[in-house]
């Protein structure tokens, strides 16, 4: 059993500092095991989140030696034997205590997305979808909401500025993608995506994709296709003329714009 | 210190759901759908409950893969798996309603794996006669919880995340609210409500080797017990046969039964496929007799019988334990689970992606090339709070329970896949039950200030005392006690020793000390959870002592056989007037004749629809 050096950030919203621990480590341990041992034997009140301990729930997100990671999936033998391991809370979200941050921002973003709205069932009461048509959506639905992608998204990191406040972040871009590409869904979220959810603020640096523990191709399979849909709807003259000729109407106004216009016209009529 | 209850934050709801796993979310959706003001509290963040760990699928006799399947066969499988100790009506409701509950998830956005015809695909699982488990690879639980979550947030439900319930409040006999605390700040909060739905899961954290997360501390079971509710069947604790055994830090983490459903086989260190030596008389007629027949089944031969690796979990777990005891185990004290030699690598990666990932990342084992090492892990409580089958109401008016914390559906042993369907079937029924109760409620019950004050005092003493027992180390002692005395095989002597040790731990727990302040303090949270763990552990141990036979997941070395008398009662645990824990053998009502006929029918008759046609359709 080797003794390893850990530096763990301890503090709260008012400030804090890295605290040193010397702790015995057994073979096969992951960083979360070591933090639990510190908690049980040296710092009973060390705050951290965890649940499944198998990379399935996305609770134990933190920055380990500066890298956003799941502590339960970071094996101790991935570090050299003399390396000091530094654990810090996610930087994009406000600290509550020690390694626990306030991630409520993310739960608020989900509510901004129009929910799933399925087409009617077939006459026999079934929905039919083919596996090849749901493969892409299933990739997005693997998301465990660890919010590591939200943590590294520079748009969200700098969201103090007013202009960038609207962006929902990569996790919720793929949530939108999972709905827009769902074979049964009949809702249209493209105007909202452009005008309210801040899709244009993402400039595709792919940091989100790199940290995804589920290896979801957030940028290539989710964000870029959504951006293409926005371009197609709002900017592509060929597509716009083509739709006009064929008499196809696509929404360019958001629900709230439609509602404002509706209210306005009622006023005029009144 | 005088405590002014009126200064505490008070939140009012018609109904408060405790727990945000599959059952709690489904119950909350049912409540809000009936215009009840609905709140949900959860110890973790939304979407992190243990439901996400469910892998294999949810059982529902939709017949998409094998049209011979129907509710009667699902019902029969469930009863046989539960060794006929299941509550008949619950097993019936579950088998009949599961298909609609699964299909409803599609309305809310769930994307299950598909058959060639575009329908929900269904996979084979232990104890299920036909491919019956709707699934998404091996991450079905995540799909379930996310679908309910994404739907639920638009239903006007108030979610209070990282809030832990401490005590159920009562007005006379009736439920009137819940005292809870916010983990983030340590502040207490009073929920005033007309009904409470418990969906708090089991108590696996009393054991050292478990697939359960920290949340599984038996909170609902203990709170219901303290509120005067009856507990039932707690002696039946399921050890899942296949948990990881190495490295030590991941010991107990689940390896889905889907591995065996998709063709994986169990071998001992001699390379022998040992399960053929453990086929009991009850299952022999429906289990392959030879390796050759089992192979034909895997190839899709509908006349071949199922391989013995797909016997019920209690049978497989006991067989693995016996092999290890006989010295035929794997290097780290398990047996080998081999799918590498059975299926091509791309099949394994597609059907079992989480397992591939989990072994690769945590154990450095490539399951497409090497066998896994697996052994039993405490996985599930069949028993829990006694409820009425149709309404899910406990014996306390206004208190409902659903999901793992409720007893009855699974009897002495649960079939894989019947848990996720349990959550959505009985979650909905609990919501309906709460609605009916509230509608008939004459007056709004009132919360009792004295009850709140004394509960808060008990909780804060842990922080305020100068020194005392370390809650983490006390928890470790509890795990040792349960592992030694209340394991996969049990004896009277060991159980009595465990009871004595638990009495000692209860005394020590009175002087636990958590250093630090109340703000996000895991030491304090651990100490508060110890109270629930101790009540739950004692109930399991005393119930196990009372049942002097071996049935399903409860194995007594000193009573190795099923005893016909064992079918005539359930073990009930409740709090006596003097505060002691009381156990009793409660006589079970006989099963309704139409259900008894189905449970005992020949499979061919059920396939042909020859039986049970007179049964009511809902």
């Amino acid at each position: 059993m080797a003794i390893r050096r850990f530096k763990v950030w301890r503090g709260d919203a008012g400030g804090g500092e890295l605290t040193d621990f010397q702790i015995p480590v057994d073979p096969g341990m992951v960083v979360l095991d070591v933090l639990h041992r510190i908690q049980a034997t040296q710092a009973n009140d060390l705050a951290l989140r965890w649940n499944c301990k198998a990379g399935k729930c996305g609770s134990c997100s933190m920055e380990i030696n500066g890298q956003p990671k799941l502590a339960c999936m970071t094996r101790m033998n991935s570090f050299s034997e003399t390396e000091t391991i530094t654990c810090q809370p996610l930087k994009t979200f406000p600290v509550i205590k020690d390694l626990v941050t306030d991630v409520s921002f993310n739960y608020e973003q989900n509510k901004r997305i129009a929910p799933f709205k399925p087409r009617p069932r077939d006459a026999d009461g079934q929905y039919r979808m083919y596996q090849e048509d749901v493969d892409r959506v299933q990739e997005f639905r693997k998301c465990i909401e660890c919010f590591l992608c939200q943590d590294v998204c520079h748009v969200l990191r700098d969201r103090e500025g007013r202009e960038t406040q609207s962006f929902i972040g990569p996790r919720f871009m793929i949530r939108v993608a999972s709905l827009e590409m769902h074979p049964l869904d009949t809702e249209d979220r493209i105007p909202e995506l452009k005008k309210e959810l801040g899709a244009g603020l993402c400039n595709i640096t792919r940091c989100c994709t790199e940290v995804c523990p589920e290896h979801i191709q957030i940028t290539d399979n989710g964000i870029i296709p959504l951006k293409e849909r926005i371009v197609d709807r709002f900017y592509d003259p060929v597509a716009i003329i083509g739709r006009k000729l064929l008499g196809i109407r696509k929404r360019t106004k958001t629900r709230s714009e439609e509602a404002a216009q509706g209210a306005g016209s009622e006023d005029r009529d009144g | 210190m005088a405590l002014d209850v009126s200064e505490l934050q008070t939140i009012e709801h018609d109904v408060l759901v405790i727990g945000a796993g599959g059952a709690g979310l489904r119950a909350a959706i049912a409540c809000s759908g009936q215009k009840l003001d609905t709140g949900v509290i959860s110890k973790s963040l939304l979407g992190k409950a243990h439901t996400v760990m469910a892998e294999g699928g949810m059982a529902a006799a939709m017949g998409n893969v094998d049209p011979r399947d129907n509710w009667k066969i699902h019902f029969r499988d469930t009863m046989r798996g539960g060794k006929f100790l299941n509550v008949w009506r619950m097993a019936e409701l579950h088998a009949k309603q599961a298909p609609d509950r699964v299909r409803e998830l599609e309305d809310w956005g769930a994307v299950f794996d598909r058959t060639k015809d575009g329908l929900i695909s269904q996979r084979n699982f232990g104890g299920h006669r036909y491919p019956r488990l709707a699934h998404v690879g091996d991450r079905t639980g995540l799909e379930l919880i996310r679908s309910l979550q994404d739907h639920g947030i638009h239903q006007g439900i108030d979610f209070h995340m990282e809030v832990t319930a401490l005590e159920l409040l009562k007005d006379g006999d009736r439920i009137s609210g819940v005292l809870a605390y916010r983990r983030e700040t340590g502040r207490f909060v009073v929920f005033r409500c007309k009904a409470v739905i418990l969906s708090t899961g089991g108590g696996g954290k009393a054991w050292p080797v478990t697939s359960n997360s920290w949340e599984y501390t038996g909170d609902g079971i203990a709170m219901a017990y303290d509120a005067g509710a009856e507990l039932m069947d707690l002696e039946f604790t399921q050890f899942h046969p296949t948990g990881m055994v190495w490295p030590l830090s991941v010991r107990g983490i689940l390896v889905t039964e889907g591995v065996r459903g998709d063709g994986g086989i169990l071998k001992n260190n001699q390379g022998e496929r040992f399960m053929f030596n453990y086929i009991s008389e009850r299952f022999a007629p429906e289990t392959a007799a030879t390796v050759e027949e089992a192979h034909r089944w895997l190839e899709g031969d509908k006349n071949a019988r199922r391989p013995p690796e797909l016997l019920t979990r209690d049978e497989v777990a006991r067989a693995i334990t016996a092999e290890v005891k006989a010295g035929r185990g794997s290097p780290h004290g398990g047996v080998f689970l081999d799918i590498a030699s059975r299926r091509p690598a791309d099949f394994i990666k597609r059907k079992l992606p989480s397992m591939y990932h989990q072994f690769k990342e945590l154990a450095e084992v490539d399951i497409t090339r090497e066998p896994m090492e697996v052994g039993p892990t405490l996985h599930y409580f069949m028993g829990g709070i006694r409820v009425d089958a149709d309404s899910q109401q406990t014996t306390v008016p206004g208190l409902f329970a659903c999901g793992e914390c409720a007893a009855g559906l699974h009897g002495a042993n649960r079939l894989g896949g019947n848990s996720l369907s349990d959550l959505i079937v009985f979650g909905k029924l609990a919501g309906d039950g709460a609605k009916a109760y509230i509608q008939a409620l004459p007056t709004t019950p009132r919360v009792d200030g004295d009850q709140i004050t004394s509960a808060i005092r008990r909780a804060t003493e842990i922080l305020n005392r100068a020194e005392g027992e370390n809650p983490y180390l006390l928890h470790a002692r509890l795990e040792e006690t349960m592992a030694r005395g209340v394991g996969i095989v049990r004896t009277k002597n060991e159980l009595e020793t465990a009871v004595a040790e638990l009495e000692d731990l209860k005394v020590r727990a009175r002087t636990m000390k958590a250093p630090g302040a109340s703000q996000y303090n895991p030491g304090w949270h651990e100490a508060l959870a110890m109270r629930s763990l101790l009540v739950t552990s004692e109930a399991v141990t005393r119930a196990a002592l009372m049942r002097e036979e071996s049935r399903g997941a409860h194995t007594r070395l000193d009573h190795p056989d099923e005893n016909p008398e064992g079918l005539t009662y359930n073990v009930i645990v409740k709090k006596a007037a003097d505060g002691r824990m009381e156990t009793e053998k409660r006589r079970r009502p006989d099963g309704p004749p139409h259900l008894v006929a189905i449970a005992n029918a020949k499979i061919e008759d059920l396939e042909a629809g020859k039986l049970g046609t007179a049964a009511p359709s809902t």
Side-chain angles (χ1 to χ4, degrees):
Chain A
M1 199 185 295
I3 306 287
R4 300 294 300 259
R5 273 172 57 96
F6 264 66
K7 283 180 180 293
V8 181
W9 194 89
R10 302 216 58 193
D12 56 27
E17 58 183 6
L18 288 169
T19 308
D20 285 309
F21 293 97
Q22 307 264 339
I23 188 84
V25 172
D26 301 324
M29 272 189 161
V30 293
V31 168
L32 183 61
D33 294 318
V34 183
L35 291 172
H36 278 154
R37 187 168 278 177
I38 291 172
Q39 199 181 45
T41 57
Q42 299 181 26
N44 279 186
D45 59 343
L46 171 64
L48 58 98
R49 287 196 183 102
W50 69 285
N51 281 69
C52 77
K53 227 178 151 302
K56 293 193 172 74
C57 76
S59 299
C60 60
S61 306
M62 58 183 71
E63 300 199 359
I64 300 170
N65 288 356
Q67 301 289 318
K69 285 193 164 158
L70 297 177
C72 73
M73 297 304 277
T74 306
R75 287 172 62 89
M76 286 301 294
N77 66 6
S78 64
F79 305 102
S80 74
E81 279 176 25
T82 53
E83 200 171 346
T84 298
I85 290 138
T86 305
C87 299
Q88 292 171 277
L90 296 180
K91 290 198 181 71
T92 298
F93 305 109
V95 168
I96 293 173
K97 188 183 160 197
D98 302 340
L99 299 172
V100 173
T101 55
D102 177 0
V103 291
S104 56
F105 167 82
N106 299 295
Y107 289 91
E108 293 307 315
Q109 302 318 303
N110 200 12
K111 289 187 203 158
R112 297 170 64 200
I113 300 168
F116 178 65
K117 194 168 130 192
R119 64 164 163 76
R121 289 175 173 274
D122 297 349
D124 62 355
Q126 299 279 10
Y127 280 129
R128 281 178 180 74
M129 296 186 272
Y130 295 94
Q131 188 61 45
E132 53 272 29
D133 297 329
V134 299
D135 278 342
R136 177 55 40 83
V137 176
Q138 286 189 331
E139 179 195 354
F140 301 144
R141 293 183 68 85
K142 287 195 306 191
C143 171
I144 57 174
E145 296 202 328
C146 63
F147 306 130
L148 291 179
C149 60
Q150 302 284 88
D151 180 50
V152 294
C153 174
H154 63 93
V155 182
L156 298 186
R157 283 219 174 181
D158 302 334
R159 73 182 183 281
E160 298 307 315
R162 271 175 58 215
E163 191 200 358
T164 63
Q165 262 178 353
S166 64
F167 187 46
I168 50 175
R171 187 280 170 265
F172 297 99
M173 287 297 280
I174 65 150
R175 165 81 184 129
V176 173
S178 78
L179 289 162
E180 287 292 307
M181 298 180 198
H182 195 305
L184 301 179
D185 183 65
T186 59
E187 183 60 272
D188 173 14
R189 301 167 189 81
I190 299 301
E192 281 76 9
L193 198 58
K194 171 175 156 39
K195 296 179 186 176
E196 292 175 358
L197 305 180
L201 293 164
C202 163
N203 50 10
I204 318 186
T205 53
R206 296 177 197 276
C207 307
C208 49
T209 306
E210 276 166 31
V211 297
C212 178
E214 288 291 314
H215 308 296
I216 299 169
Q217 293 301 310
I218 300 174
T219 316
D220 288 353
N221 292 348
I223 294 178
I224 290 176
L226 285 180
K227 281 175 168 282
E228 286 170 352
R229 288 181 187 207
I230 292 173
V231 168
D232 180 70
R233 181 75 56 90
F234 287 94
Y235 304 111
D236 182 347
V238 178
I240 292 169
I241 291 168
R243 279 199 297 270
K244 277 212 165 118
L245 290 174
L246 293 169
I248 299 167
R249 297 185 64 176
K250 291 258 186 185
R251 289 172 63 233
T252 52
K253 290 198 165 61
T254 64
R255 296 278 174 231
S256 45
E257 285 170 344
E258 285 167 7
Q261 197 179 40
S265 60
E266 270 170 30
D267 284 344
R268 276 195 300 279
D269 291 344
Chain B
M1 180 187 66
L3 191 126
D4 187 354
V5 173
S6 67
E7 283 181 8
L8 292 174
Q9 186 190 12
T10 301
I11 297 175
E12 292 194 29
H13 290 296
D14 289 331
V15 56
L16 186 74
V17 180
I18 305 181
L25 292 176
R26 187 62 191 83
I29 289 168
C31 290
S32 69
Q34 298 179 85
K35 309 278 182 273
L36 293 180
D37 178 335
T38 308
V40 177
I41 64 174
S42 57
K43 294 206 281 188
S44 283
L45 297 172
L46 192 54
K48 308 298 183 196
H50 208 58
T51 303
V52 301
M53 283 294 279
E55 293 162 353
M58 55 192 100
M62 297 187 288
N64 290 353
V65 171
D66 195 319
R68 289 177 295 182
D69 202 10
N70 59 54
W71 79 262
K72 289 169 205 146
I73 302 177
H74 189 184
F75 166 80
R76 177 182 182 269
D77 289 345
T78 301
M79 292 301 297
R80 288 158 61 90
K83 312 299 180 218
F84 291 86
L85 206 66
N86 324 53
V87 171
W88 294 85
R89 176 64 177 156
M90 285 179 82
E92 179 192 19
L93 285 168
H94 170 253
K96 282 179 172 168
Q97 297 184 3
D100 281 347
R101 293 287 82 75
V102 171
R103 280 191 281 263
E104 176 179 72
L105 293 171
E106 284 196 308
D107 294 323
W108 300 342
V111 184
F112 293 102
D113 288 352
R114 316 307 295 180
T115 65
K116 283 198 184 66
D117 302 323
L119 302 177
I120 295 172
S121 180
Q122 298 185 269
R123 71 155 43 116
N124 277 301
F125 236 56
H128 292 283
R129 172 82 183 171
Y130 297 117
R132 190 177 281 149
L133 270 66
H135 62 277
V136 185
D138 53 4
R139 55 161 193 87
T140 314
L142 175 66
E143 188 69 18
L144 173 64
I145 204 163
R146 201 68 81 228
S147 301
L148 294 172
Q149 174 187 346
D150 288 337
H151 180 68
I153 58 169
H154 295 287
Q155 306 307 308
I157 301 163
D158 283 332
F159 290 101
H160 309 277
M161 299 195 289
E162 298 196 308
V163 172
T164 305
L166 277 176
E167 191 152 313
L168 299 170
L169 305 174
K170 282 168 68 179
D171 179 357
D173 289 343
R174 291 183 183 283
I175 283 294
S176 61
V178 176
L179 174 69
Y181 68 95
R182 296 182 186 282
R183 299 174 82 82
E184 185 181 318
T185 57
R187 293 248 171 87
F188 294 96
V189 47
V190 176
F191 289 92
R192 296 180 52 185
C193 49
K194 299 167 185 165
V196 168
I197 299 176
L198 295 170
S199 46
T200 51
K205 281 310 274 183
W207 283 262
V209 179
T210 174
S211 62
N212 292 183
S213 81
W214 67 267
E215 295 197 88
Y216 270 42
T217 50
D219 296 0
I221 293 168
M223 283 189 291
Y225 168 84
D226 279 330
E230 291 180 349
L231 312 177
M232 185 172 95
D233 291 344
L234 276 169
E235 65 274 30
F236 300 109
T237 51
Q238 179 168 79
F239 289 83
H240 192 292
T242 59
M244 292 177 81
V245 296
W246 190 91
L248 280 181
S249 70
V250 295
R251 188 161 190 157
I253 288 179
L254 192 64
V255 179
T256 176
E257 194 166 320
V259 176
R260 284 171 284 140
D262 287 334
I265 57 173
L266 292 165
K267 290 190 210 165
N268 60 22
N269 67 14
Q270 322 280 305
E272 182 192 11
R273 200 170 159 185
F274 59 85
M275 277 309 299
F276 284 97
N277 306 331
Y278 294 91
I279 304 170
S280 66
E281 221 170 278
R282 172 175 283 149
F283 291 105
E286 290 165 26
T287 307
T290 63
V291 171
E292 182 272 333
E293 184 181 358
H295 186 68
R296 277 195 285 119
W297 177 88
L298 188 63
E299 299 291 298
D301 180 349
K302 290 202 168 173
N303 294 316
R305 293 169 297 177
R306 308 161 59 76
E309 279 84 4
L310 291 178
L311 286 169
T312 54
R313 289 177 173 174
D314 51 337
E315 315 259 344
V316 181
R318 266 192 303 272
I320 292 174
T321 307
E323 287 295 308
V324 173
K325 238 178 201 166
R328 295 189 291 270
S330 66
H332 299 98
V335 295
F336 296 105
L337 173 59
D338 171 27
I339 190 157
S341 71
R342 311 274 296 165
R343 295 287 197 181
D346 60 341
F347 175 94
I348 298 169
K349 285 185 196 169
R350 183 163 49 82
K351 297 295 273 188
L352 302 161
S354 306
M355 289 302 106
Y356 174 74
H357 190 61
Q358 181 175 315
F359 273 89
K360 190 104 185 158
E361 306 266 333
L362 294 173
E364 294 173 348
V365 167
D366 179 351
I367 67 166
T368 68
R369 304 162 69 96
E370 309 160 75
M372 296 158 251
E373 273 190 77
V374 295
T377 177
L378 193 286
H379 183 53
Y380 190 84
F381 276 28
M382 270 67 72
I385 306 157
R386 189 174 152 238
V387 291
D388 170 67
D390 289 81
S391 70
Q392 298 295 104
Q393 186 161 212
T394 69
T395 46
V396 173
L399 182 63
F400 297 78
C402 54
E404 186 177 351
C405 71
L409 169 62
H410 308 293
N413 174 59
R414 174 173 73 77
L415 297 184
N418 271 1
S419 177
L420 290 188
S421 43
D422 171 2
L423 306 182
I424 48 180
V425 168
F426 292 103
K428 177 180 186 298
L429 291 178
D432 295 349
K435 168 73 179 177
Y437 169 82
I438 288 171
Q439 253 172 343
L441 195 66
T443 53
T444 300
R446 299 186 340 181
V447 296
D448 172 1
D450 290 345
Q451 198 192 348
I452 294 171
T453 320
S454 62
I456 290 179
R457 188 168 303 126
R458 266 202 307 278
T460 47
E461 272 171 3
I462 297 167
L463 291 165
N464 294 338
R465 63 174 58 95
E467 54 184 25
E469 295 273 357
N470 175 334
Y472 293 95
L473 302 184
L474 210 59
H475 187 172
R477 288 302 309 273
L478 171 67
E479 290 176 354
E480 284 169 33
T481 292
M482 296 306 281
R484 230 184 357 246
V486 201
I488 195 163
V489 289
R490 303 156 178 182
T491 64
K492 183 165 191 259
N493 282 345
E494 287 170 352
L495 288 166
E496 281 173 348
T497 306
V499 169
E501 288 177 11
L502 286 168
E503 291 296 338
D504 176 50
L505 287 171
K506 273 157 60 181
V507 173
R508 290 174 60 183
R510 285 185 208 135
T511 58
M512 279 184 294
K513 161 70 183 170
S518 64
Q519 183 202 20
Y520 219 115
N521 183 342
W524 187 44
H525 304 166
E526 177 88 354
L528 292 169
M530 273 302 286
R531 216 179 102 212
S532 305
L533 276 170
L534 284 164
V535 170
T536 306
S537 302
E538 185 181 352
V540 170
T541 310
R542 289 189 186 277
L545 200 50
M546 180 160 264
R547 184 170 287 279
E548 295 186 320
E549 64 159 349
S550 294
R551 180 180 298 274
H554 173 64
T555 306
R556 285 280 298 260
L557 274 184
D558 45 351
H559 299 276
D561 297 315
E562 267 184 30
N563 177 350
E565 187 237 344
L567 256 191
T568 62
Y569 65 87
N570 294 103
V571 177
I572 302 286
V573 177
K574 66 178 180 200
K575 198 174 193 171
D578 63 0
R580 274 182 317 106
M581 189 175 277
E582 193 175 74
T583 50
E584 107 183 57
K585 287 183 181 178
R586 177 85 50 86
R587 193 173 164 77
R588 296 180 72 214
D590 293 331
H594 71 279
L595 293 180
V596 174
I598 294 169
N600 293 320
K602 277 203 296 200
I603 199 84
E604 294 78 10
D605 290 339
L606 292 179
E607 284 171 1
K610 277 184 197 160
L611 210 80
T613 42
S617 63
T618 53

